Amino acid sequence: MRFRAKIVDLACLNHFSRVINTIAKLAKTCTLRLTVSKLYFILSDKVANGGVSMWCELCQGNFFDEFQMEGVAAEHNEIYLELVPDNLSRALKTAQSAKAVKIKLTNKHCPCLRVAVELPSLSSSSRIVTHDIPVGVIPRRLWNDFREPSVPDFDVSIYLPVLKTMKSVVERMKNLSNSIVIEANLSGEMNLKIETDLVSVTTHFKDLGNPPWASEDGCQSSAQGRDLENMAEARIDIKKLQQLLAGQQVNPTKALCNIVSKRIVHFILLHEDVSLQYFIPALA
Amino acid sequence: CILHCFLFLLVFGRAIHAIARVSDEFWFDPIEKGLALRSVNSSRSAYAYVFFSSMFFQHYCWTAVSQPCQKEKQLSLPCKLIIKSILPVFRCVNVLERNVEKCSIYTNVNDHHITFQLLCKHGVVKTYNLTFQECDPLQAVFAKHMCPNILKVHSRLLADIMIHFPTSQEEVTLSVTPMKVCLKSYTEEDTGFSKTMLTEIQLNPDEFDYFQVGVDSEVTFCLKELRGLLAFSEATSVPVSIHFDISGKPIAFGVEDTVLEASFILATLSDVEMETASQQPPCVSQRQESNAEAAASKKPRWNGNAPNTGSAKTTSPLAKQEIKSIPRVAKKGTTGVAGTAITEAEDHAMLEGEATESLSYFYKYCIFQFHSLFFGAVCCKEKDAISHTFHSLATPSDAEEDFGSGQSSQV
């Protein structure tokens, strides 16, 4: 099992750092899956996470100048590592002016991701800062736990409002209630509602637009033939939603959510080279 | 004595913050030449000293008040303040600079008060009256010039380096050879799989303004306590000098310019194995014996003291007893600080012709307790003491002689 990668371009480095920062805000521990062409940050839906799950996919070619990987075996050319993304975030935080950043999988005393940052210095040779991030190697028999989640059979799919606005609304609502109801219909309308003994607050968004989903095998999805005004709703933990919105450092190219009534809300945030999917289950 | 001065707030505030990182209380020691602030942490593994010469202040007025009841003329009034009470005064130093026009400090011996008065914008006057306790003076003795390894570096560089370590990082190891310098995070975990991220920085000797490595060494010290000095040195933009030796011997970080001087002396970790091989076996073995319960494991431990305050507390009653049994030394004879078996370098007049026997017993106890702080020597011989200036920490060291003479096992 080997892994070596190098980033030389500052813009790529900053972009990568931003992705890592977003992941770090969403999960304390997560799984990093490395393949020849892609990196995945995965959080599977365990009870400990509150049932949320995350799937983040990056094309390595968009970030790394060099990328070499050898998986556990020839026919399973992949590596699954468990790590604390915040460590990676901290290691990259002070690399903003780096000449180069190298990441390598090592196993000196224990498996580590070694991040070596080459910084400019006043002297002839560069200053090198090395961070050893402990990781856990996930054995192949557990790889099934980390399969890509399928898009659920949703009732309504709708584009999200401007994330900054949505974030400030949710943040204020967070002070009043622990749960929030997201409801939306196929006419581009979405409501965020909270209700407590003392107060209920609803924020209405209009003209959001509904993304067209091509049905895979021609069969009717539950979204077809649905009354356009009919709202699908789910009550979710407001903190989880706030975490997702607060973690976004850059405005995504596309942001949408799929609501399965009373079951789950599936968020998809697409950037140029990164896609992030986040599932928040509905509260009982 | 009466002290009256105005001062540059940013630098002074940063000094207070730096000292606050070491301990909750500090010694406020105005003398004729200037104002000295000192503090030592509870486990006696860190000592901070900042001296502002009278020229630092816009106005500095110090008057000695001699008290007829005492035999000697009281040259200074060392007193102790709780730092928590002064910290709010200098809390937001940057904001302070904008709003405060003048700050003056008055001391009032009779009232046991020190007054900080801030004259702010718009005619607002904030007055803080802080009570102090009289206490034995505090001074660590450290022979900087005896250190084989000396590095001098600009504070900006040091800050750039320290930024790579997380703020929660407690200890770091500095290892030097004539070819390179390496700073890495230190963790005590023995287990193969540690959950913490380890950071290491390699530097070229070229990056230092002055680089002298007499002996390859690897010293581990507490970073938290040092950060205060780093912030302070950035405010003064004076280069930082680092004096150190092999592991186990203390490391001193200092800044010095015409109007101020600061020193932070930190204990360094020493390996148990290395101790037994050191050149000073008698002292070491004594310490090992009595710290047996503290050093139950074979792990490297802080030299001369236990990492928890419990041990410091258990030694303090003993220390007080020792002080009382040597009345000359503890001439102020007040409650005193726990474990203040630290020498009074200023009291040279008293040392002269005294019963050296009891004195050397006292100093041996110092060596015993504070091997980590004291670079070998503790006491200054009479003739040296006279030339000893108040605010200098460098002392001609007669380490070997002191250890050799009278190694009685009284301790």
Side-chain angles (χ1 to χ4, degrees):
Chain A
M1 232 190 336
R2 269 174 25 106
F3 170 59
R4 279 173 177 268
K6 183 162 144 181
I7 304 179
V8 176
D9 180 53
L10 265 184
C12 292
L13 179 61
N14 287 335
H15 196 174
F16 188 65
S17 300
R18 276 198 297 269
V19 174
I20 302 294
N21 291 342
T22 306
I23 304 289
K25 292 214 167 73
L26 292 176
K28 263 187 81 178
T29 319
C30 74
T31 301
L32 169 60
R33 173 184 169 198
L34 301 165
T35 67
V36 172
S37 54
K38 291 196 180 181
L39 288 92
Y40 303 82
F41 290 93
I42 307 166
L43 185 67
S44 58
D45 54 353
K46 308 247 169 51
V47 175
N49 303 330
V52 299
S53 53
M54 170 185 76
W55 180 271
C56 179
E57 208 172 293
L58 297 85
C59 265
Q60 61 90 343
N62 291 330
F63 297 90
F64 295 94
D65 294 281
E66 282 171 32
F67 193 92
Q68 295 153 22
M69 192 220 75
E70 259 172 47
V72 290
E75 60 277 11
H76 303 287
N77 200 14
E78 298 183 3
I79 300 176
Y80 282 68
L81 300 171
E82 186 183 348
L83 59 74
V84 173
D86 189 51
N87 283 341
L88 193 51
S89 172
R90 276 193 287 131
L92 295 173
K93 195 162 32 161
T94 47
Q96 297 315 310
S97 56
K99 285 181 177 172
V101 174
K102 292 193 195 142
I103 305 181
K104 193 167 89 159
L105 185 60
T106 66
N107 194 356
K108 289 245 172 78
H109 305 286
C110 61
C112 277
L113 263 185
R114 171 163 292 178
V115 180
V117 181
E118 193 182 327
L119 291 164
S121 80
L122 298 166
S123 79
S124 49
S125 60
S126 313
R127 202 182 295 167
I128 304 194
V129 185
T130 315
H131 301 274
D132 279 336
I133 301 169
V135 296
V137 178
I138 299 177
R140 213 169 62 69
R141 59 190 157 83
L142 297 176
W143 288 8
N144 269 334
D145 290 349
F146 305 103
R147 273 172 309 172
E148 178 167 6
S150 48
V151 178
D153 212 7
F154 51 82
D155 296 312
V156 168
S157 176
I158 188 168
Y159 287 113
L160 293 175
V162 173
L163 285 192
K164 215 166 108 177
T165 313
M166 195 172 171
K167 181 176 93 151
S168 54
V169 168
V170 172
E171 260 175 19
R172 275 152 188 74
M173 287 183 166
K174 189 168 81 103
N175 297 329
L176 299 169
S177 165
N178 287 332
S179 66
I180 187 174
V181 172
I182 298 187
E183 62 176 23
N185 63 21
L186 289 170
S187 304
E189 289 173 348
M190 173 191 276
N191 300 330
L192 298 175
K193 303 196 292 197
I194 57 164
E195 194 172 318
T196 68
D197 292 338
L198 295 172
V199 66
S200 60
V201 183
T202 308
T203 306
H204 305 267
F205 296 94
K206 299 197 301 205
D207 298 328
L208 293 172
N210 301 89
W213 284 83
S215 52
E216 283 195 345
D217 45 359
C219 69
Q220 299 241 336
S221 74
S222 52
Q224 302 224 344
R226 188 195 166 84
D227 179 13
L228 292 182
E229 305 288 324
N230 204 344
M231 290 277 184
E233 65 161 50
R235 175 188 299 276
I236 59 174
D237 182 342
I238 201 172
K239 277 203 272 291
K240 299 273 183 283
L241 179 59
Q242 193 262 340
Q243 261 181 331
L244 172 67
L245 297 171
Q248 299 310 304
Q249 304 203 314
V250 187
N251 255 335
T253 333
K254 267 202 176 81
L256 57 103
C257 78
N258 302 326
I259 305 177
V260 180
S261 232
K262 298 201 174 39
R263 303 279 242 116
I264 200 165
V265 183
H266 173 209
F267 293 89
I268 304 179
L269 301 166
L270 296 171
H271 298 81
E272 270 175 25
D273 353 355
V274 184
S275 76
L276 173 66
Q277 295 180 59
Y278 200 67
F279 297 80
I280 307 181
L283 297 170
Chain B
C1 70
I2 303 158
L3 169 69
H4 179 178
C5 57
F6 303 146
L7 41 74
F8 294 113
L9 282 173
L10 180 68
V11 176
F12 195 81
R14 287 271 175 100
I16 298 286
H17 279 274
I19 290 177
R21 285 194 185 244
V22 171
S23 166
D24 283 337
E25 48 189 25
F26 70 107
W27 275 252
F28 183 90
D29 195 0
I31 55 174
E32 191 177 359
K33 290 205 169 106
L35 174 64
L37 307 173
R38 297 188 177 90
S39 113
V40 67
N41 72 356
S42 54
S43 57
R44 297 288 189 267
S45 59
Y47 167 84
Y49 166 74
V50 185
F51 176 77
F52 296 98
S53 92
S54 51
M55 293 186 289
F56 174 79
F57 303 97
Q58 284 171 353
H59 174 88
Y60 187 87
C61 166
W62 178 91
T63 325
V65 173
S66 60
Q67 299 187 333
C69 56
Q70 300 241 334
K71 281 185 200 165
E72 301 87 26
K73 183 177 176 207
Q74 192 167 341
L75 293 171
S76 64
L77 174 72
C79 54
K80 202 168 51 138
L81 287 172
I82 305 294
I83 215 164
K84 277 200 280 268
S85 32
I86 194 179
L87 211 51
V89 182
F90 296 98
R91 170 164 293 142
C92 302
V93 188
N94 298 331
V95 176
L96 221 52
E97 275 236 308
R98 280 201 303 268
N99 293 337
V100 178
E101 286 160 18
K102 272 192 203 147
C103 170
S104 42
I105 307 178
Y106 305 83
T107 58
N108 187 333
V109 177
N110 305 322
D111 259 356
H112 286 255
H113 267 119
I114 293 186
T115 306
F116 286 79
Q117 193 170 68
L118 301 175
L119 303 170
C120 311
K121 274 195 209 165
H122 313 299
V124 175
V125 177
K126 296 189 196 175
T127 309
Y128 298 82
N129 291 317
L130 309 172
T131 31
F132 63 79
Q133 299 166 252
E134 275 192 41
C135 59
D136 293 329
L138 170 75
Q139 175 135 341
V141 179
F142 179 71
K144 261 196 230 178
H145 60 272
M146 297 272 294
C147 288
N149 297 339
I150 305 176
L151 307 174
K152 283 203 172 79
V153 66
H154 199 267
S155 53
R156 184 72 248 160
L157 178 74
L158 218 46
D160 282 347
I161 295 168
M162 293 308 177
I163 207 173
H164 296 286
F165 294 98
T167 40
S168 57
Q169 182 65 39
E170 296 250 349
E171 284 136 15
V172 292
T173 304
L174 169 67
S175 72
V176 293
T177 69
M179 308 301 293
K180 68 172 175 62
V181 179
C182 168
L183 206 58
K184 52 189 180 226
S185 45
Y186 173 84
T187 164
E188 278 188 26
E189 289 168 37
D190 283 338
T191 56
F193 181 79
S194 94
K195 290 254 171 205
T196 45
M197 183 166 101
L198 297 178
T199 303
E200 180 176 320
I201 304 173
Q202 302 252 359
L203 297 158
N204 197 296
D206 293 349
E207 298 204 61
F208 292 83
D209 294 341
Y210 179 84
F211 184 82
Q212 171 190 312
V213 172
V215 50
D216 288 3
S217 79
E218 210 171 274
V219 289
T220 302
F221 54 89
C222 186
L223 182 60
K224 273 194 167 165
E225 281 148 357
L226 187 62
R227 285 191 193 266
L229 175 73
L230 297 181
F232 173 68
S233 60
E234 267 193 281
T236 59
S237 57
V238 176
V240 178
S241 64
I242 311 172
H243 291 77
F244 59 108
D245 198 326
I246 56 171
S247 64
K249 300 246 167 94
I251 182 169
F253 292 82
V255 295
E256 187 174 338
D257 79 359
T258 46
V259 295
L260 57 81
E261 182 192 329
S263 261
F264 272 53
I265 306 181
L266 306 172
T268 67
L269 203 60
S270 77
D271 283 334
V272 176
E273 287 68 46
M274 284 174 74
E275 278 177 0
T276 50
S278 84
Q279 294 112 345
Q280 293 142 4
C283 181
V284 166
S285 57
Q286 283 176 344
R287 179 177 62 249
Q288 279 186 326
E289 271 175 87
S290 96
N291 276 358
E293 71 267 22
S297 67
K298 281 285 179 193
K299 281 186 179 179
R301 57 173 168 79
W302 288 98
N303 211 335
N305 50 62
N308 51 19
T309 47
S311 154
K313 286 194 191 119
T314 53
T315 52
S316 63
L318 192 62
K320 280 189 204 168
Q321 283 170 14
E322 301 305 341
I323 290 172
K324 281 185 188 132
S325 71
I326 311 165
R328 286 300 190 171
V329 178
K331 69 168 161 64
K332 300 210 172 44
T334 50
T335 51
V337 184
T340 42
I342 301 182
T343 184
E344 277 177 37
E346 296 99 317
D347 260 350
H348 51 266
M350 186 264 303
L351 287 178
E352 227 166 339
E354 276 308 326
T356 348
E357 209 178 341
S358 54
L359 216 53
S360 60
Y361 170 83
F362 172 73
Y363 286 128
K364 241 190 303 300
Y365 184 78
C366 285
I367 298 165
F368 182 96
Q369 278 297 313
F370 305 110
H371 186 79
S372 56
L373 284 184
F374 292 71
F375 182 74
V378 163
C379 79
C380 7
K381 290 260 167 84
E382 291 79 352
K383 55 181 186 316
D384 296 326
I386 289 168
S387 58
H388 180 85
T389 50
F390 284 117
H391 53 270
S392 165
L393 288 179
T395 308
S397 148
D398 301 306
E400 286 61 65
E401 280 177 59
D402 286 339
F403 280 118
S405 64
Q407 270 291 314
S408 49
S409 53
Q410 284 173 21
V411 195

